[in-house]
């Protein structure tokens, strides 16, 4: 059970409504993204875009996480990293993303462990938060186990 102060931080950084979608999603993907935004992706390119950020981020690869236990490990690591984070750097060179949803509701998160930033969207919400690099090892392991390149 999270401590009350951790829950308060997490609620500020990732709203409960977004966590509910992540936890109940019919589809859940963990992605490896190329660092740096692209402003003119080639037609048909696999990209993830953010309202707050100019340009898009090219998806290098993705894996669908269907195993409920693994999905909860990924989310628990993300939540812990977000609750523990104290601040961020000024850059944003993400290498990871999560897209989850179903029933017309979707959450997208683009994550930069290097600068401790998380940006994303959920229905009616723009997400801006901080994260430590503690989830990165698990994220990288899940991606590489699925044959997804990290760079």
């Amino acid at each position: 059970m999270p401590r009350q102060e951790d829950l308060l931080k997490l609620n500020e950084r990732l709203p409960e409504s977004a966590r509910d979608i992540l936890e109940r999603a019919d589809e859940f993907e963990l992605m490896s993204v190329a660092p740096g935004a692209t402003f003119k992706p080639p037609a048909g390119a696999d990209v993830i875009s953010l309202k707050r950020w100019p340009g898009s981020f090219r998806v290098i690869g993705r894996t669908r996480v269907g195993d409920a236990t693994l999905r909860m490990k990924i989310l628990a690591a993300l939540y812990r990293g977000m609750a523990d984070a104290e601040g961020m750097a000024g850059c944003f060179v993400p290498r990871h993303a999560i897209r989850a949803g179903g029933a017309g509701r979707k959450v997208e998160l683009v994550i930069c462990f290097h600068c401790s930033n998380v940006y994303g969207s959920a229905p009616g919400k723009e997400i801006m938060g901080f994260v430590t690099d503690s989830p990165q090892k698990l994220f990288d392991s899940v991606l590489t186990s699925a044959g997804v390149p990290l760079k």
Side-chain angles (χ1 to χ4, degrees):
M1 186 73 174
R3 298 178 312 193
Q4 185 64 27
E5 64 192 54
D6 291 344
L7 197 52
L8 291 172
K9 278 188 199 176
L10 188 57
N11 284 336
E12 289 173 6
R13 298 169 183 176
L14 188 61
E16 187 175 359
S17 59
R19 294 194 315 270
D20 183 60
I21 293 169
L22 289 165
E23 293 165 15
R24 298 173 188 265
D26 296 328
E27 295 289 326
F28 187 102
E29 294 178 310
L30 181 62
M31 295 176 264
S32 174
V33 299
T38 179
F39 295 96
K40 291 186 179 180
D46 191 3
V47 297
I48 189 166
S49 300
L50 300 170
K51 291 179 186 176
R52 169 172 282 292
W53 205 263
S56 302
F57 298 93
R58 186 175 58 84
V59 176
I60 297 171
R62 64 181 73 229
T63 185
R64 183 177 180 276
V65 181
D67 179 83
T69 302
L70 180 56
R71 186 183 296 191
M72 290 314 294
K73 282 182 185 178
I74 291 168
L75 291 175
L78 177 67
Y79 297 168
R80 170 60 34 212
M82 291 184 82
D84 288 347
E86 294 298 328
M88 50 111 181
C91 66
F92 189 60
V93 287
R95 295 196 181 261
H96 299 83
I98 292 174
R99 180 180 288 145
R105 301 180 333 147
K106 178 172 67 173
V107 171
E108 292 182 315
L109 302 173
V110 179
I111 305 158
C112 179
F113 292 117
H114 178 71
C115 63
S116 305
N117 286 309
V118 176
Y119 292 107
S121 63
K125 305 263 185 210
E126 197 172 326
I127 297 166
M128 289 180 12
F130 312 130
V131 65
T132 66
D133 64 356
S134 63
Q136 183 175 358
K137 187 175 180 180
L138 174 62
F139 284 30
D140 287 351
S141 174
V142 170
L143 289 166
T144 56
S145 291
V148 176
L150 300 178
K151 297 179 184 183

